[in-house]
Amino acid sequence: MPDVIVVGGGVVGLLTAWTLGQASAEVVLLERGETGREASWAGGGIVSPLYPWRYSDAVANLAHWSQDFYPSLGERLLADTGLDPEVHVTGLYWLDLDDQERALAWAAANQRPLQAVDIDALYDAVPVLGRSFQRAVYMPGVANVRNPRLAKSLREALVRLPNVQVCEQVQVQSFLSEGERVAGVRTGAGEFRAGRVVLAAGAWSGELLASLGLELPVAPVKGQMILYRCAADFLPSMVLAKGRYAIPRRDGHILVGSTLEHTGFDKTPSSEALASLRASAQELIPELAGLEPVQHWAGLRPGSPEGIPFIGEVPGFRGLWLNTGHYRNGLVLAPASCQLLADLMQGGKTIIDPRPYAPEGRLVATPLS
């Protein structure tokens, strides 16, 4: 019998299994479709919250740890698997912020290298940027990761571990209980039992917890993106204005996103969103007006209150652990979230204070039908 079942094969689930597997746990990962094909595939991959000073310390503490960890993670995965997740350090410019002074004060208080930039220096650094912007702040060292490649490299790393089993096309239907203990899961492919179960199913986590009479305040939030193909050196840095961003990949592809839509589990791309994203792209980078996007897609984020994930054991259900609800910051927070979860499960010293993420007091009991 394995030590741990991980439910969900997005980046959080994959990295949970990898972190526990590296610590010699016997792990089975169950994914209802293909690994890394939901929010982890659809997101932009900026290794920073979009506006870090607008989040609580709970989010910032996870983000800071993960940002420092990502370069070494990328190098480790490339060395172990031959698949490069492309951790691409470009820095990030925020343009025409309404709360620029707050951002700079946050940076000073948290010793983060955010600074105001002369507008002429901005246009020298990013010549293709639209000329309507008046102010900018810049943080060097901010990276983006090519999230589909990160998911592929993590999956390959798991496949190469003899103590980890990856099972795709296996949909978890409910949990197996023995008294107050969760002892495994029921799936369309039969029962799986383990010493502990980790629920890391993103936007679908709430549906599974409901089978235990628990309400998890995590709901799907749709986000749509578009992709352009440009020269490799066309956009030297990430840029963000009015909640929309442009992200350069190493090969010249540029992602522009993203929408925030509360439409349940529908992830159909819409013409309205396409028009809105194209307008944002052209405002940020006027030369994109003459190009057709080469791709347009949508994904579902696991929206949670204040974007604070749920990390820890579920009260009253011994053996059931959560690592879910990362909202817009799944890629950013994943390394720290998974290390924190592993620390808690192993009973050792934790990388940061775990209390803000604990499920206790954040879940609501509901009558079972």
Side-chain angles (χ1 to χ4, degrees):
M1 185 173 74
D3 300 308
V4 182
I5 292 169
V6 176
V7 180
V11 164
V12 171
L14 290 165
L15 199 51
T16 295
W18 185 78
T19 305
L20 295 172
Q22 291 291 320
S24 301
E26 296 283 338
V27 181
V28 174
L29 183 144
L30 303 177
E31 164 56 40
R32 67 189 187 96
E34 298 178 25
T35 57
R37 291 296 300 179
E38 293 291 349
S40 299
W41 176 86
I46 302 176
V47 185
S48 171
L50 290 189
Y51 298 96
W53 53 89
R54 298 178 187 173
Y55 284 97
S56 67
D57 288 344
V59 172
N61 290 339
L62 289 173
H64 293 170
W65 194 93
S66 295
Q67 286 170 320
D68 294 338
F69 182 76
Y70 253 111
S72 62
L73 175 63
E75 292 171 3
R76 171 77 180 275
L77 290 173
L78 176 58
D80 287 354
T81 70
L83 299 174
D84 189 357
E86 294 192 12
V87 178
H88 185 30
V89 179
T90 67
L92 173 58
Y93 288 93
W94 285 266
L95 310 173
D96 288 355
L97 285 171
D98 292 332
D99 56 352
Q100 179 167 310
E101 293 307 315
R102 177 184 175 187
L104 294 171
W106 168 87
N110 290 276
Q111 298 181 318
R112 306 306 289 182
L114 182 73
Q115 58 191 3
V117 176
D118 177 79
I119 198 67
D120 292 329
L122 166 67
Y123 286 119
D124 287 342
V126 190
V128 296
L129 192 65
R131 299 287 155 162
S132 63
F133 301 106
Q134 304 298 315
R135 295 181 300 155
V137 295
Y138 178 65
M139 186 182 289
V142 180
N144 67 77
V145 61
R146 201 154 185 171
N147 29 318
R149 298 191 182 190
L150 173 64
K152 287 180 181 178
S153 60
L154 281 169
R155 186 190 186 284
E156 181 62 23
L158 292 181
V159 168
R160 296 184 182 210
L161 289 175
N163 53 318
V164 177
Q165 181 182 2
V166 177
C167 301
E168 297 177 310
Q169 308 299 332
V170 176
Q171 183 160 357
V172 173
Q173 299 164 342
S174 60
F175 298 98
L176 298 172
S177 297
E178 296 177 353
E180 293 186 352
R181 178 175 173 271
V182 170
V185 296
R186 293 184 184 88
T187 80
E191 295 183 351
F192 290 77
R193 293 181 176 269
R196 286 178 282 191
V197 175
V198 176
L199 181 56
W204 289 266
S205 298
E207 291 187 330
L208 286 170
L209 270 192
S211 69
L212 296 175
L214 294 173
E215 181 182 338
L216 176 73
V218 171
V221 181
K222 182 176 175 179
Q224 300 190 47
M225 308 272 292
I226 57 176
L227 181 71
Y228 293 90
R229 183 179 289 119
C230 300
D233 57 353
F234 177 72
L235 180 64
S237 177
M238 294 180 284
V239 292
L240 192 160
K242 301 177 183 177
R244 297 280 172 87
Y245 48 77
I247 305 170
R249 300 303 198 206
R250 286 182 185 169
D251 63 3
H253 282 97
I254 295 174
L255 282 76
V256 176
S258 138
T259 65
L260 281 172
E261 305 169 60
H262 297 269
T263 57
F265 286 93
D266 169 48
K267 33 176 213 181
T268 307
S270 68
S271 57
E272 294 83 4
L274 176 60
S276 175
L277 290 166
R278 292 192 71 176
S280 294
Q282 293 165 26
E283 182 178 9
L284 284 167
I285 306 168
E287 288 183 47
L288 295 180
L291 298 178
E292 288 291 327
V294 296
Q295 201 168 351
H296 171 209
W297 67 91
L300 299 174
R301 312 174 185 89
S304 58
E306 299 181 64
I308 299 173
F310 295 79
I311 306 170
E313 193 169 22
V314 177
F317 295 89
R318 192 161 44 89
L320 178 60
W321 296 72
L322 300 182
N323 193 5
T324 190
H326 296 75
Y327 196 18
R328 306 189 74 177
N329 296 309
L331 266 292
V332 187
L333 307 183
S337 297
C338 297
Q339 187 60 56
L340 175 60
L341 178 75
D343 292 345
L344 290 168
M345 295 181 77
Q346 293 160 6
K349 182 180 179 181
T350 57
I351 54 168
I352 57 174
D353 181 358
R355 289 175 293 180
Y357 320 100
E360 186 173 3
R362 302 176 67 200
L363 304 178
V364 179
T366 60
L368 286 170
S369 56

